[in-house]
Amino acid sequence: MPKHYLIAGLLCLLLSGSSNRCYSLAMDNARRVLVTGAGGQTGQHVFRKLLARPGYLPIGTVRSEASRKALLEGIGDDKAEQVVICDITNENTSTLDNLVKDCDAVMICTSAKPAPTGEINEETKRPLFGFPNGQPEIVDWLGQKNLIDAAKKANRDIHVVLCSSMGGTNPLNSLNSLGKVTNADGTTTGGDILKWKRKAEVYLMESGLPYTIVHPGGLLNEPGNERELCLGVDDKIPGTTNNSVPREDVANVMIAALEDDDYRGRSFDLVSKPVGEGVVTADYGKLLATLEGKNCDYSLGETA
Protein backbone atom coordinates (compact mmCIF):
# COMPACT_ATOMS: atom_id res chain seq x y z
CA MET A 1 0.00 0.00 0.00
CA PRO A 2 1.43 3.46 -0.88
CA LYS A 3 2.89 5.29 2.12
CA HIS A 4 0.84 8.45 1.55
CA TYR A 5 -2.37 6.41 1.88
CA LEU A 6 -1.21 4.90 5.16
CA ILE A 7 -0.49 8.40 6.45
CA ALA A 8 -3.97 9.51 5.39
CA GLY A 9 -5.46 6.56 7.23
CA LEU A 10 -3.61 7.44 10.44
CA LEU A 11 -4.78 11.02 10.18
CA CYS A 12 -8.34 9.78 9.84
CA LEU A 13 -8.03 8.10 13.22
CA LEU A 14 -7.15 11.46 14.74
CA LEU A 15 -10.15 13.22 13.24
CA SER A 16 -13.39 13.66 15.14
CA GLY A 17 -15.20 10.66 13.68
CA SER A 18 -16.56 11.91 10.37
CA SER A 19 -16.39 9.13 7.76
CA ASN A 20 -16.92 11.72 5.02
CA ARG A 21 -13.87 13.64 6.20
CA CYS A 22 -11.81 10.46 6.22
CA TYR A 23 -12.94 9.53 2.72
CA SER A 24 -12.20 13.03 1.45
CA LEU A 25 -8.73 12.99 2.98
CA ALA A 26 -7.97 9.55 1.53
CA MET A 27 -9.04 10.69 -1.92
CA ASP A 28 -6.98 13.87 -1.66
CA ASN A 29 -3.91 11.73 -0.97
CA ALA A 30 -4.71 8.98 -3.46
CA ARG A 31 -2.58 8.47 -6.55
CA ARG A 32 -4.51 9.69 -9.57
CA VAL A 33 -4.05 7.24 -12.45
CA LEU A 34 -5.41 7.68 -15.96
CA VAL A 35 -6.33 4.34 -17.58
CA THR A 36 -6.88 4.66 -21.32
CA GLY A 37 -8.90 1.97 -23.04
CA ALA A 38 -10.76 1.27 -19.79
CA GLY A 39 -13.67 -0.11 -21.79
CA GLY A 40 -11.46 -2.74 -23.43
CA GLN A 41 -10.78 -6.19 -22.06
CA THR A 42 -7.31 -5.60 -20.60
CA GLY A 43 -8.04 -1.98 -19.67
CA GLN A 44 -11.09 -3.05 -17.69
CA HIS A 45 -8.98 -5.37 -15.57
CA VAL A 46 -6.53 -2.56 -14.82
CA PHE A 47 -9.29 -0.04 -14.08
CA ARG A 48 -11.36 -2.35 -11.85
CA LYS A 49 -8.32 -3.49 -9.88
CA LEU A 50 -7.26 0.10 -9.21
CA LEU A 51 -10.81 0.97 -8.13
CA ALA A 52 -10.66 -1.81 -5.56
CA ARG A 53 -7.14 -0.98 -4.39
CA PRO A 54 -6.61 1.45 -1.48
CA GLY A 55 -4.61 4.55 -2.31
CA TYR A 56 -5.66 5.01 -5.94
CA LEU A 57 -8.08 7.27 -7.77
CA PRO A 58 -8.32 5.80 -11.28
CA ILE A 59 -9.87 7.74 -14.15
CA GLY A 60 -10.88 5.53 -17.06
CA THR A 61 -11.27 6.74 -20.63
CA VAL A 62 -13.64 5.24 -23.21
CA ARG A 63 -14.41 6.29 -26.76
CA SER A 64 -18.20 6.38 -26.73
CA GLU A 65 -21.25 6.84 -24.51
CA ALA A 66 -22.19 3.22 -25.16
CA SER A 67 -18.82 2.05 -23.81
CA ARG A 68 -19.17 4.37 -20.82
CA LYS A 69 -22.61 3.02 -20.01
CA ALA A 70 -21.44 -0.59 -20.31
CA LEU A 71 -18.49 0.03 -18.00
CA LEU A 72 -20.60 1.81 -15.38
CA GLU A 73 -23.10 -1.05 -15.37
CA GLY A 74 -20.34 -3.25 -14.06
CA ILE A 75 -18.84 -0.88 -11.47
CA GLY A 76 -21.81 1.25 -10.35
CA ASP A 77 -23.07 4.73 -11.17
CA ASP A 78 -21.39 6.12 -8.06
CA LYS A 79 -18.16 5.95 -10.09
CA ALA A 80 -19.63 8.00 -12.96
CA GLU A 81 -17.17 10.86 -12.51
CA GLN A 82 -14.29 8.41 -12.92
CA VAL A 83 -15.31 7.25 -16.41
CA VAL A 84 -14.72 9.86 -19.11
CA ILE A 85 -15.34 9.86 -22.86
CA CYS A 86 -12.07 10.82 -24.53
CA ASP A 87 -10.71 9.87 -27.94
CA ILE A 88 -6.93 9.92 -27.58
CA THR A 89 -6.57 10.15 -31.36
CA ASN A 90 -8.37 13.50 -31.53
CA GLU A 91 -6.19 16.26 -33.00
CA ASN A 92 -7.68 18.62 -30.41
CA THR A 93 -5.98 17.32 -27.27
CA SER A 94 -7.49 19.78 -24.79
CA THR A 95 -9.65 17.14 -23.07
CA LEU A 96 -6.74 14.73 -22.89
CA ASP A 97 -4.40 17.42 -21.59
CA ASN A 98 -6.85 18.30 -18.81
CA LEU A 99 -7.22 14.66 -17.79
CA VAL A 100 -3.47 14.04 -17.64
CA LYS A 101 -2.31 17.25 -15.98
CA ASP A 102 -3.17 16.18 -12.41
CA CYS A 103 -2.18 12.53 -12.77
CA ASP A 104 0.62 10.64 -11.08
CA ALA A 105 0.59 7.87 -13.68
CA VAL A 106 -0.87 6.91 -17.06
CA MET A 107 -1.72 3.33 -17.96
CA ILE A 108 -1.97 2.96 -21.74
CA CYS A 109 -4.27 0.06 -22.60
CA THR A 110 -5.53 1.35 -25.94
CA SER A 111 -4.79 -0.50 -29.18
CA ALA A 112 -6.13 -0.76 -32.69
CA LYS A 113 -8.41 -3.79 -32.83
CA PRO A 114 -8.57 -5.95 -35.98
CA ALA A 115 -11.88 -7.39 -37.16
CA PRO A 116 -12.92 -9.48 -40.20
CA THR A 117 -14.07 -7.35 -43.14
CA GLY A 118 -16.31 -10.09 -44.53
CA GLU A 119 -14.07 -10.44 -47.59
CA ILE A 120 -11.80 -13.37 -48.51
CA ASN A 121 -8.24 -13.21 -49.82
CA GLU A 122 -8.45 -14.86 -53.24
CA GLU A 123 -4.90 -16.23 -53.02
CA THR A 124 -4.92 -17.63 -49.49
CA LYS A 125 -8.69 -18.17 -49.18
CA ARG A 126 -8.45 -16.71 -45.69
CA PRO A 127 -10.62 -13.94 -44.23
CA LEU A 128 -9.37 -10.39 -44.64
CA PHE A 129 -9.07 -8.17 -41.57
CA GLY A 130 -9.36 -4.45 -41.15
CA PHE A 131 -9.37 -1.90 -38.34
CA PRO A 132 -12.89 -0.43 -38.24
CA ASN A 133 -12.15 1.75 -35.21
CA GLY A 134 -8.88 3.18 -36.43
CA GLN A 135 -5.72 1.96 -38.12
CA PRO A 136 -2.62 1.22 -36.00
CA GLU A 137 -0.93 4.37 -37.26
CA ILE A 138 -3.76 6.43 -35.77
CA VAL A 139 -4.39 4.51 -32.52
CA ASP A 140 -1.08 2.89 -31.61
CA TRP A 141 1.16 5.69 -32.82
CA LEU A 142 -0.60 9.07 -32.98
CA GLY A 143 -2.98 8.35 -30.09
CA GLN A 144 -0.22 7.13 -27.83
CA LYS A 145 1.98 10.03 -28.91
CA ASN A 146 -0.80 12.39 -27.82
CA LEU A 147 -0.81 10.73 -24.39
CA ILE A 148 2.95 10.94 -24.00
CA ASP A 149 2.97 14.58 -25.12
CA ALA A 150 0.20 15.38 -22.64
CA ALA A 151 2.27 13.84 -19.85
CA LYS A 152 5.30 15.86 -20.91
CA LYS A 153 3.27 19.09 -21.03
CA ALA A 154 2.00 18.46 -17.51
CA ASN A 155 5.59 18.92 -16.34
CA ARG A 156 5.22 16.21 -13.73
CA ASP A 157 7.00 13.00 -12.85
CA ILE A 158 4.24 11.03 -14.54
CA HIS A 159 4.96 7.31 -14.77
CA VAL A 160 3.70 5.92 -18.09
CA VAL A 161 2.98 2.18 -18.14
CA LEU A 162 2.38 0.95 -21.68
CA CYS A 163 0.74 -2.34 -22.63
CA SER A 164 2.11 -3.27 -26.05
CA SER A 165 2.67 -6.69 -27.65
CA MET A 166 5.28 -9.35 -28.23
CA GLY A 167 6.43 -9.97 -31.79
CA GLY A 168 8.07 -6.61 -32.48
CA THR A 169 11.50 -8.03 -33.29
CA ASN A 170 10.13 -9.69 -36.44
CA PRO A 171 8.99 -7.25 -39.16
CA LEU A 172 7.37 -10.19 -41.00
CA ASN A 173 5.18 -11.14 -38.04
CA SER A 174 1.72 -12.07 -39.33
CA LEU A 175 0.11 -9.42 -37.12
CA ASN A 176 1.69 -6.76 -39.33
CA SER A 177 -0.24 -8.05 -42.35
CA LEU A 178 -3.65 -7.45 -40.74
CA GLY A 179 -5.42 -4.53 -42.37
CA LYS A 180 -2.62 -4.00 -44.89
CA VAL A 181 -3.68 -3.20 -48.46
CA THR A 182 -1.46 -3.56 -51.53
CA ASN A 183 -2.01 -0.68 -53.95
CA ALA A 184 -1.92 -0.86 -57.75
CA ASP A 185 1.61 0.51 -57.82
CA GLY A 186 2.84 -2.18 -55.45
CA THR A 187 3.05 0.02 -52.36
CA THR A 188 1.13 -0.87 -49.22
CA THR A 189 -1.00 1.13 -46.82
CA GLY A 190 -2.44 0.31 -43.41
CA GLY A 191 -1.57 -2.47 -41.01
CA ASP A 192 1.93 -2.86 -39.52
CA ILE A 193 0.50 -2.78 -36.01
CA LEU A 194 3.68 -4.01 -34.30
CA LYS A 195 5.81 -1.46 -36.14
CA TRP A 196 3.56 1.41 -35.07
CA LYS A 197 3.50 0.11 -31.50
CA ARG A 198 7.28 -0.06 -31.51
CA LYS A 199 7.49 3.51 -32.81
CA ALA A 200 5.38 4.69 -29.86
CA GLU A 201 7.55 2.71 -27.44
CA VAL A 202 10.73 4.36 -28.70
CA TYR A 203 9.04 7.77 -28.50
CA LEU A 204 8.12 7.06 -24.87
CA MET A 205 11.62 5.94 -23.97
CA GLU A 206 13.07 9.11 -25.50
CA SER A 207 10.50 11.37 -23.80
CA GLY A 208 12.35 11.65 -20.50
CA LEU A 209 9.29 10.37 -18.62
CA PRO A 210 9.47 7.43 -16.21
CA TYR A 211 8.17 4.43 -18.14
CA THR A 212 7.46 0.71 -18.07
CA ILE A 213 6.74 -1.17 -21.30
CA VAL A 214 5.05 -4.58 -21.10
CA HIS A 215 4.94 -6.87 -24.14
CA PRO A 216 2.39 -9.59 -23.38
CA GLY A 217 2.11 -12.70 -25.49
CA GLY A 218 -1.24 -13.92 -26.79
CA LEU A 219 -3.94 -12.53 -24.51
CA LEU A 220 -6.27 -15.00 -22.79
CA ASN A 221 -9.71 -14.27 -21.37
CA GLU A 222 -9.06 -16.63 -18.47
CA PRO A 223 -8.69 -15.99 -14.72
CA GLY A 224 -5.44 -14.52 -13.46
CA ASN A 225 -3.55 -15.33 -10.25
CA GLU A 226 -3.46 -19.01 -11.18
CA ARG A 227 -0.19 -19.33 -13.12
CA GLU A 228 3.54 -18.84 -12.91
CA LEU A 229 4.49 -15.80 -14.95
CA CYS A 230 7.66 -15.60 -17.02
CA LEU A 231 9.56 -12.57 -18.28
CA GLY A 232 12.03 -12.24 -21.13
CA VAL A 233 13.22 -9.84 -23.79
CA ASP A 234 13.29 -9.68 -27.58
CA ASP A 235 10.59 -12.33 -28.02
CA LYS A 236 12.63 -14.94 -26.16
CA ILE A 237 11.43 -16.12 -22.77
CA PRO A 238 13.39 -18.80 -20.88
CA GLY A 239 11.61 -21.39 -18.81
CA THR A 240 8.56 -22.03 -20.99
CA THR A 241 7.49 -22.64 -24.56
CA ASN A 242 4.07 -21.16 -23.85
CA ASN A 243 3.42 -17.83 -25.59
CA SER A 244 0.20 -16.66 -23.96
CA VAL A 245 -0.91 -14.96 -20.74
CA PRO A 246 -4.26 -14.06 -19.13
CA ARG A 247 -5.26 -10.42 -19.46
CA GLU A 248 -5.79 -10.26 -15.70
CA ASP A 249 -2.17 -11.23 -15.10
CA VAL A 250 -1.06 -8.50 -17.51
CA ALA A 251 -3.05 -6.03 -15.41
CA ASN A 252 -1.38 -7.37 -12.25
CA VAL A 253 2.09 -6.77 -13.69
CA MET A 254 1.16 -3.27 -14.90
CA ILE A 255 -0.08 -2.34 -11.43
CA ALA A 256 3.02 -3.87 -9.85
CA ALA A 257 5.01 -1.44 -12.01
CA LEU A 258 3.23 1.44 -10.25
CA GLU A 259 4.21 0.14 -6.83
CA ASP A 260 7.82 -0.91 -7.36
CA ASP A 261 10.30 1.69 -8.59
CA ASP A 262 12.53 -1.08 -9.95
CA TYR A 263 10.00 -1.43 -12.77
CA ARG A 264 10.79 2.10 -13.99
CA GLY A 265 12.87 2.32 -17.14
CA ARG A 266 12.15 -1.29 -18.03
CA SER A 267 10.84 -3.00 -21.16
CA PHE A 268 10.15 -6.72 -21.25
CA ASP A 269 8.03 -9.57 -22.61
CA LEU A 270 5.45 -11.41 -20.50
CA VAL A 271 3.88 -14.87 -20.78
CA SER A 272 2.64 -17.50 -18.34
CA LYS A 273 3.08 -21.19 -17.85
CA PRO A 274 -0.06 -23.34 -18.16
CA VAL A 275 -2.23 -23.70 -15.06
CA GLY A 276 -0.77 -26.34 -12.75
CA GLU A 277 2.77 -26.00 -14.10
CA GLY A 278 5.26 -24.21 -11.87
CA VAL A 279 4.52 -21.99 -8.85
CA VAL A 280 1.83 -19.31 -9.02
CA THR A 281 3.48 -15.87 -9.12
CA ALA A 282 2.79 -13.73 -6.07
CA ASP A 283 6.01 -11.71 -5.67
CA TYR A 284 6.36 -9.29 -8.57
CA GLY A 285 9.70 -7.99 -7.35
CA LYS A 286 11.17 -11.48 -7.64
CA LEU A 287 9.52 -11.81 -11.04
CA LEU A 288 11.30 -8.69 -12.31
CA ALA A 289 14.60 -9.90 -10.87
CA THR A 290 14.50 -12.91 -13.22
CA LEU A 291 15.39 -10.51 -16.04
CA GLU A 292 18.78 -9.92 -14.40
CA GLY A 293 18.69 -6.29 -15.54
CA LYS A 294 17.97 -7.02 -19.20
CA ASN A 295 15.69 -4.80 -21.31
CA CYS A 296 14.40 -5.16 -24.85
CA ASP A 297 16.82 -4.26 -27.63
CA TYR A 298 15.18 -1.75 -29.96
CA SER A 299 17.88 -2.10 -32.60
CA LEU A 300 16.06 -5.34 -33.45
CA GLY A 301 12.98 -5.33 -35.64
CA GLU A 302 11.59 -2.22 -37.34
CA THR A 303 9.56 0.82 -36.45
CA ALA A 304 7.05 2.30 -38.91
Side-chain angles (χ1 to χ4, degrees):
M1 184 184 297
K3 291 180 180 178
H4 53 266
Y5 190 82
L6 289 173
I7 292 170
L10 290 173
L11 287 174
C12 277
L13 294 177
L14 300 176
L15 293 175
S16 57
S18 168
S19 60
N20 287 337
R21 290 174 68 190
C22 287
Y23 177 80
S24 178
L25 179 60
M27 287 300 97
D28 287 345
N29 286 274
R31 296 179 71 185
R32 186 181 177 93
V33 181
L34 186 70
V35 182
T36 69
Q41 296 179 85
T42 304
Q44 276 201 50
H45 279 296
V46 173
F47 185 62
R48 288 170 182 266
K49 285 177 178 291
L50 289 176
L51 279 174
R53 210 172 185 91
Y56 290 99
L57 179 63
I59 307 296
T61 72
V62 295
R63 295 187 68 177
S64 68
E65 182 59 43
S67 293
R68 182 174 184 271
K69 181 178 179 181
L71 184 55
L72 286 173
E73 285 178 354
I75 63 174
D77 288 337
D78 59 319
K79 302 294 191 298
E81 292 185 358
Q82 291 175 247
V83 181
V84 180
I85 297 174
C86 177
D87 185 349
I88 66 168
T89 68
N90 198 320
E91 291 184 6
N92 182 345
T93 63
S94 58
T95 300
L96 185 60
D97 292 341
N98 285 331
L99 287 173
V100 172
K101 69 179 182 180
D102 294 322
C103 286
D104 299 291
V106 174
M107 311 284 266
I108 302 179
C109 302
T110 43
S111 176
K113 185 176 180 180
T117 64
E119 300 177 275
I120 299 294
N121 184 309
E122 293 300 326
E123 293 183 6
T124 65
K125 304 303 180 184
R126 294 179 178 177
L128 291 173
F129 284 78
F131 291 93
N133 295 316
Q135 280 282 344
E137 179 181 3
I138 304 300
V139 180
D140 294 278
W141 163 234
L142 294 177
Q144 292 184 13
K145 180 178 181 296
N146 284 343
L147 279 163
I148 296 163
D149 287 343
K152 290 170 63 178
K153 281 187 280 188
N155 195 29
R156 293 168 58 89
D157 186 33
I158 297 177
H159 184 189
V160 179
V161 182
L162 171 58
C163 180
S164 187
S165 177
M166 284 185 66
T169 63
N170 178 14
L172 300 179
N173 189 293
S174 60
L175 291 177
N176 285 326
S177 67
L178 298 177
K180 184 178 290 188
V181 176
T182 302
N183 304 313
D185 61 0
T187 61
T188 60
T189 53
D192 282 334
I193 187 168
L194 297 178
K195 295 181 182 181
W196 289 114
K197 284 180 180 291
R198 208 163 177 82
K199 186 178 180 74
E201 293 169 33
V202 172
Y203 189 77
L204 172 58
M205 291 189 297
E206 294 176 348
S207 70
L209 294 166
Y211 69 85
T212 307
I213 299 170
V214 183
H215 299 131
L219 294 168
L220 303 174
N221 293 319
E222 297 179 10
N225 305 301
E226 295 183 354
R227 305 167 187 245
E228 180 175 335
L229 305 182
C230 302
L231 302 185
V233 296
D234 305 328
D235 295 324
K236 297 176 183 177
I237 299 186
T240 184
T241 57
N242 194 44
N243 63 354
S244 59
V245 60
R247 293 178 187 272
E248 185 178 1
D249 284 323
V250 176
N252 288 337
V253 171
M254 293 179 70
I255 292 172
L258 292 181
E259 302 184 336
D260 184 344
D261 285 348
D262 287 343
Y263 273 83
R264 293 190 174 208
R266 306 304 301 270
S267 57
F268 51 82
D269 305 335
L270 167 66
V271 300
S272 66
K273 293 182 179 180
V275 173
E277 183 179 315
V279 179
V280 176
T281 297
D283 188 327
Y284 293 94
K286 287 184 178 179
L287 175 65
L288 184 67
T290 62
L291 286 173
E292 299 179 335
K294 294 189 292 292
N295 284 304
C296 292
D297 181 356
Y298 283 82
S299 69
L300 302 176
E302 294 177 4
T303 60

